[in-house]
Structures are given as C-alpha cells and as structure tokens.
Amino acid sequence: MAKVPVQFTLNGSEKAEFIDSGTTLLNALRDKIGDTSPKGGCHQGTCGACSVIIDGELRLSCLTLAETCNGTTITTTSGLSESGVLHPLQRAFLDTFATQCGFCTPGMIMAAKVLLDHTPNPSRDEVVEALSGNICRCTGYEPIIQAVLLAARANSQNAA
Amino acid sequence: MELRKNYFADVRKDDLHEVGQPRPRSDSPGHVTGKTAFFADRNFPGMLHLKMVRSPHHHARIRSIDTSEAEKHPGVVKVLTAKDVPHNVYTILILIQIGPEDETVLADGKVRWKGEAVVAVLAETERAAQEAAAKVKVDYEVLPAVFDMEEALKPGAPLVNEYHGQNYYLYDSGECRKVRFGDVEAGFAGADHILEQSYQSSPIEHAPTETTGCVVAPEGNDRFTCYTNTQAMFFTLDNTSIILQMPGSKLHFVGGTVGGGFGGKVDVIVEPIAILGAKLTGRPVSFIYSREEEMQISSPRAAEKVVIKDGVMKDGRIVARKVTGYTDAGAYSRHSPYGAQKGAGHYPGPYTIPNVWIDTYCVYTNRTPSSAMRGFGVTISDFALEVQMDKLARLIGMDPLEFRFINAYRDGDMKAHRQPTEGAALIECMQEASRAANWPVAEKYMAMSSYKKGA
Ligand code: FES
Ligand code: FES
C-alpha cells in the first residue's frame, strides 16, 4: 500500500507522518499519533464520537482521509485543557454530570466548542441543533444540553 | 433533589452522611479531557485483527469448512475453527450450576441462528482479515427453522438446540417456573369481573456507543492480559478459564471502563476466542465488533409474550391473577432462563393479591440469542401488568391511581411467594407521584401509609 506524507498542527504541535494512503484521520490520530481522545463508535459517520475540529470546522474524523489534512490545524478534546486547567466546556460537563460512560463526551465537547466559537450565546434550540449529530446512549441528553448552556453563560460573564 | 423527611420519621436514621449528598464522579475528569482509557485505546506493536465468519442461515447443518484459500490470503496469520477451542460447548450460568452447556464458541456441525460465529480469521490488518474471511467456504445444508415461540412449542416443531432436547428450558420445577398461591379458580369464581389480555414485545438492541470488544496482549510465560469492556468481569474470567481450559491465574483481565452497556456486554463472547488467538500466535489480538455486527449479533432484550387474566371486585380489590409468560431465548440460553424466572417472581406486581397462579417459559427459537438488558425479565412484565392495571381500573370505572392504592402491598401483607412484605414504601411513592403529576386522589388515600404501626 502506498505511503503518503502528511503534515498538520495537532493541538498546537507539528505532526509529520507517513501513513498508508486511505487511512482515516481517526485511525491516524489514534493508532499512529497516539491521540485516543476521538472515539470510534460507528466508523460510518453516524455517531459523532470521532468529531474533531479542522481549521475551525467540525469534522467527522472517521470520514476524513488523513492525507487530505495536509497543512491544516486540528483540535481534539485532549488539547483543550491548558496546563491542567479545564476548558469552560470541560468544567461545565463535570459540574452538570453530563458524562456517564464518557464515550461520547470528547465528540460532544468538540461539537459544543464549534457552536460556542461561532455563537457565544446560543439558544437552547441552537444547542440541540449543534449536538444533533452526536449520539449519546447514556445521559438522555438533557445534562449535556445544560452543560453547553452553562459554559455559554460562563463565557458571557467572562466577556462582560 | 428534595429529601422528604416527613415519611417514616419515627423509623428513619437521620445521621446519614452520604445519602442526599452530591459527590463528584471519580471518572468524569478523565472523560472530559479524553484521557479515560477504553479498551480500544490500547495499541500494541504487531497486533493482529480478528474477524469472524458468520452463518448466513438461521438453521443449517455444516457439511464442510474449507479455510485453505483464506489461509493463503496475504497478511493472514491464523484461522481458527471449532476443533481449536479446548472446551467448545459452554453456557455462562454454569458457574452457578445452571446448565446444560448448550452454546458453541465456534459452530461445530450445526448453526442455530443467522450470525452465529463459525470461523475466526486473524490477520495483520483489519482489511486482510475481512478479505480472508470472505474466502472461507462453508458448505451448509439448510434446515427448517422456527422463529415464533408458540410454533416452537408445538409438537413436531424443528428442534433448535439438541443440548436441551426440547424447545424450552427444563427448570427443576419442570417445563416452566411456577408460582402458586391461594386458589386462583375459586378467586375467579367469586370475582365481579374477569379480564384476560395478551401483551407482546419485540427484541430490543442496546446500541451502546462503544461496540463490544477486547484487546489481548500475551505477557510471555503463558499469561495473557485482556483489556475488555465486559460488564461481567468474573463471569468472563471464569468462563474463559473453562473454555480455554486454562487456570484463572494465567488470565489477567483489565476492565471497568465500559462505553455504554445496558446489559448488552454481560455475555462472554469476544474474550475467549481473542485470547485463544493470542495464545496460538504469540501476538497481541484485537477483536472489536463493527457497528453492523453490534446491531445484528449482540444479544438483544428477549421478545416476550404475556397472557394475564385478572379477577377484580367492584370495590377495586384484585382477587385472582393468572399469568402465562413466554421469553424468547433465541438459539441459546445465555441469561434467558434467569430472565424468565425473574418474570415469574414479578407478575404479582407490587400488589397484594390473595390468589395467584403463574407459569413462565424460556423458549428456544432460531433467532439471535437474547440475554441481559436493563431489568430483563421484569421490564416487559411491568409494561404488561401496569397496562393491565389501567384496563382493570377502566373496567370498574375507578381512577387508575386510586385503584393502585387499594391493591398496593403494605408492610405485613403476604406476597404470592409467601414472603411477608417488609419495608414497603409504595403508598408514599404514589402519594408523591400524585402531587408531582398533579393527579389528585381522594383524601383517604393521602392518609394511608405503607408502614402499618404495630403490624
Ligand atoms: S465514528 Fe465517526 S461518526 Fe461514528
Ligand atoms: S455518556 Fe455514554 S454514550 Fe454518552
């Protein structure tokens, strides 16, 4: 299988890898680079557990070929907390008991981050819409929605 | 959450330090930072991937298996069939002396459901394993199959599972689990009204976000570490030990992190064959269900059928209840004999009924084996009997909640299993429910208590 070189910035650090052509970004991140925070729940674009942020946009890493990510900037959940300080979204997920098994959590946080980056004060409907591509089988969603709204409130208080 | 301290004030302890106190979950910091290690987050150099060849038929005799093409496929390291498994026929609950062993790890001579594991292929990459699995040739003689519990119980129905000899589980109490209390026919004879209804449910898939699987690493000296998302660590460890005929001291299981389970990860399915693969190749092995496999292969909640016949008086008292329940185990027992048995215990409901007669059957069909799921054996029972309660209330023109107050068991009442009721709080729960749901009931019910002073 042909190997292709790929270079991108992952959570602030440069990565350069030779990968098999056709490898998904999800597998490249998890198996090659060792960032296992994106999870593989379906490998077919339906669960959202593998969500990452590429150049500011929410992407499903199981449906993204690693070789198409050359020169991009990628953020995963493991890159959110700086020197041990939790990101407001991470804090809010903790405080509202928005995690149960935790398998969907990294993908949820990525989807929520893109929403808050674009819409700092979302309505409840906007939160629901933004999370609609992410499946959680444990929480019943309500605590997750509350977490995102709580993080948004924290944001606007900081800004004020 | 509000803790109502007015209930049972004279018997409650008030020096509790944990109940009613919020506590942070110890695992959620790992979840929100992406640091929690799920089994598939373990990656070992030289890891092999295991893919299963599965039966395309519901019921068939296996005439022959030809793995020669698959073995030649580039990247394939090992192909396993039934003869490679030391103790190939097992059943999970044998650990608590509930037999017979009735299920094969890899099919031997026969398949009994569509999706049953027949051949395991271990290869350098997932893709090579998949391609090689497609090259395994199995010659099947298709047999008549049975998918309906009532059909399965008819004389002359195709025999699903030879290890049982008939299409139902044989309990020590006979062909079903039984509860007998009072005289149910006399109860019906004296009742003002009789209502008989049937209820049925379909299988339900748990669909955990993380699919079932495990990663096994050989530690040298014949010891194996198995990272798994099983919900039943010791069922898995002990059954693996039996299946592989290896002492438990050779098996090191690492688990406790489960990406959703809901009972669906209680069976012992992936670990024994993955450890066997690691043992025979000397290499780490990963066996992870695809989403498609998870939905098709993992054991669902059993389909159930329930017939409930109740005798009720005009004043609201239920005087007789007769129930026949059927649990569709699919082709193998797994946890279903236990599920059906739980149903037998549950059908009287939380009600005091003087005459009760219950039979529950665990039935075998050529469907996907069902097993544990969130209160299996009692959830469908509850659905059926609470719908029945509403219908009974309507029949006698009574408010459905007041009807339940009349029949709710209270401390000191004798249950159908001949255990006196202790520590009941149903009346109090219904009083709170009536307030919370804004569903008023007559004052005399609000004055009732489960705790009969001096009883
Ligand atoms: S793993 Fe990518 S959407 Fe499910
Ligand atoms: S917390 Fe388990 S899937 Fe969301």
Side-chain angles (χ1 to χ4, degrees):
Chain A
M1 217 177 279
K3 297 265 187 201
V4 284
V6 191
Q7 258 182 296
F8 48 73
T9 308
L10 175 66
N11 299 326
S13 55
E14 289 296 318
K15 301 288 169 194
E17 297 285 340
F18 281 100
I19 50 144
D20 291 331
S21 178
T23 303
T24 63
L25 177 62
L26 176 64
N27 287 346
L29 288 174
R30 291 175 55 84
D31 302 342
K32 272 287 239 205
I33 295 172
D35 181 352
T36 56
S37 67
K39 305 297 174 194
C42 66
H43 297 272
Q44 58 185 27
T46 50
C47 74
C50 66
S51 301
V52 300
I53 303 174
I54 305 178
D55 290 338
E57 297 292 329
L58 189 65
R59 290 275 179 261
L60 296 172
S61 63
C62 72
L63 295 186
T64 305
L65 290 182
E67 59 207 87
T68 64
C69 296
N70 244 329
T72 60
T73 297
I74 302 177
T75 307
T76 66
T77 304
S78 65
L80 272 197
S81 48
E82 277 166 41
S83 42
V85 180
L86 294 183
H87 184 277
L89 269 167
Q90 294 174 314
R91 186 77 251 166
F93 268 69
L94 272 188
D95 291 344
T96 58
F97 290 86
T99 70
Q100 286 196 35
C101 78
F103 198 79
C104 69
T105 310
M108 287 287 179
I109 289 180
M110 289 290 99
K113 180 164 191 311
V114 172
L115 170 72
L116 297 190
D117 287 349
H118 293 161
T119 315
N121 269 307
S123 66
R124 188 193 146 88
D125 283 353
E126 284 170 316
V127 173
V128 170
E129 174 69 27
L131 299 178
S132 63
N134 292 64
I135 289 174
C136 177
R137 284 287 291 154
C138 309
T139 64
Y141 299 104
E142 195 52 41
I144 299 178
I145 296 166
Q146 293 308 322
V148 181
L149 290 170
L150 180 69
R153 275 204 299 282
N155 262 346
S156 61
Q157 275 160 9
N158 288 347
Chain B
M1 194 186 67
E2 189 196 350
L3 207 56
R4 280 290 168 93
K5 297 196 170 181
N6 50 327
Y7 289 117
F8 312 114
D10 52 339
V11 289
R12 79 159 46 248
K13 280 190 171 169
D14 233 351
D15 54 352
L16 302 174
H17 302 295
E18 301 295 331
V19 176
Q21 302 296 320
R23 291 270 177 260
R25 289 185 49 155
S26 60
D27 55 356
S28 42
H31 295 345
V32 301
T33 52
K35 288 203 170 66
T36 300
F38 293 88
F39 84 90
D41 296 344
R42 269 77 173 213
N43 201 345
F44 296 94
M47 190 157 75
L48 299 174
H49 298 263
L50 191 155
K51 287 283 165 198
M52 212 46 104
V53 178
R54 299 186 177 280
S55 162
H57 303 294
H58 297 286
H59 197 191
R61 201 175 314 288
I62 298 176
R63 290 205 197 95
S64 65
I65 299 177
D66 177 4
T67 59
S68 55
E69 287 303 307
E71 272 159 58
K72 278 186 246 153
H73 189 82
V76 169
V77 174
K78 189 96 196 161
V79 177
L80 304 175
T81 60
K83 63 180 186 323
D84 296 302
V85 186
H87 184 83
N88 192 41
V89 184
Y90 77 107
T91 194
I92 301 165
L93 294 182
I94 204 78
L95 299 175
I96 50 169
Q97 284 80 49
I98 295 179
E101 294 181 303
D102 69 344
E103 176 163 8
T104 49
V105 176
L106 292 175
D108 192 7
K110 198 174 153 179
V111 287
R112 298 180 179 85
W113 60 284
K114 186 175 170 178
E116 178 154 5
V118 184
V119 174
V121 178
L122 293 134
E124 302 284 352
T125 63
E126 225 180 304
R127 181 166 169 176
Q130 227 145 24
E131 287 167 348
K135 289 186 174 173
V136 171
K137 291 192 204 79
V138 184
D139 182 19
Y140 293 103
E141 176 196 338
V142 177
L143 301 172
V146 60
F147 305 113
D148 179 90
M149 289 190 278
E150 268 160 297
E151 294 298 318
L153 291 176
K154 280 187 187 153
L159 182 60
V160 175
N161 191 319
E162 292 74 9
Y163 297 103
H164 292 282
Q166 68 284 318
N167 287 341
Y168 55 82
Y169 184 80
L170 198 60
Y171 290 96
D172 47 14
S173 56
E175 73 285 2
C176 58
R177 266 298 182 226
K178 300 174 194 184
V179 175
R180 302 287 185 267
F181 185 60
D183 181 343
V184 80
E185 292 310 329
F188 287 132
D192 290 333
H193 297 280
I194 289 177
L195 181 70
E196 185 179 64
Q197 299 278 289
S198 10
Y199 303 88
Q200 65 184 66
S201 68
S202 300
I204 301 170
E205 163 59 30
H206 318 69
T209 313
E210 175 205 49
T211 59
T212 301
C214 68
V215 168
V216 180
E219 303 295 349
N221 59 33
D222 239 4
R223 206 159 179 258
F224 297 85
T225 303
C226 178
Y227 300 91
T228 164
N229 61 5
T230 180
Q231 286 180 265
M233 190 60 99
F234 291 99
F235 271 153
T236 308
L237 177 69
D238 293 352
N239 276 291
T240 304
S241 165
I242 294 172
I243 290 167
L244 299 183
Q245 301 281 289
M246 280 166 79
S249 59
K250 301 275 183 201
L251 302 167
H252 178 202
F253 277 60
V254 179
T257 307
V258 180
F262 323 114
K265 291 171 180 165
V266 167
D267 296 340
V268 183
I269 306 294
V270 290
E271 296 86 355
I273 198 73
I275 295 172
L276 182 63
K279 187 177 156 95
L280 296 179
T281 60
R283 293 179 54 178
V285 170
S286 156
F287 180 15
I288 308 180
Y289 278 5
S290 67
R291 176 54 55 185
E292 198 182 345
E293 275 178 310
E294 186 71 42
M295 301 302 279
Q296 292 195 339
I297 308 308
S298 66
S299 19
R301 170 191 290 288
E304 288 181 46
K305 191 173 172 208
V306 188
V307 183
I308 307 181
K309 180 178 175 184
D310 281 326
V312 67
M313 305 305 288
K314 288 195 196 91
D315 63 9
R317 283 174 298 125
I318 306 173
V319 290
R321 170 167 291 177
K322 183 171 184 176
V323 182
T324 312
Y326 302 91
T327 298
D328 189 344
Y332 296 113
S333 292
R334 298 195 185 168
H335 289 80
S336 291
Y338 172 56
Q341 165 166 331
K342 282 202 283 177
H346 206 69
Y347 282 117
Y351 306 113
T352 297
I353 305 174
N355 304 293
V356 175
W357 187 104
I358 295 167
D359 278 357
T360 59
Y361 294 81
C362 171
V363 185
Y364 299 101
T365 63
N366 294 105
R367 293 170 66 170
T368 308
S370 55
S371 198
M373 188 209 205
R374 309 197 109 179
F376 67 114
V378 302
T379 313
I380 302 299
S381 320
D382 268 334
F383 153 75
L385 73 91
E386 293 304 329
V387 172
Q388 177 85 359
M389 291 295 285
D390 286 346
K391 289 183 180 175
L392 289 169
R394 201 174 307 143
L395 184 69
I396 56 170
M398 187 173 270
D399 175 89
L401 192 52
E402 295 186 344
F403 176 62
R404 285 172 173 83
F405 273 102
I406 291 172
N407 290 287
Y409 59 19
R410 300 165 67 188
D411 276 9
D413 286 352
M414 184 56 80
K415 295 191 243 185
H417 327 97
R418 296 184 176 80
Q419 278 284 323
T421 305
E422 276 176 68
L426 180 58
I427 296 286
E428 290 71 15
C429 287
M430 291 196 296
Q431 288 164 347
E432 284 307 311
S434 128
R435 288 192 188 102
N438 227 336
W439 186 292
V441 293
E443 206 29 61
K444 62 176 171 180
Y445 300 116
M446 295 311 265
M448 277 171 78
S449 167
S450 295
Y451 176 58
K452 296 180 185 165
K453 283 198 190 85

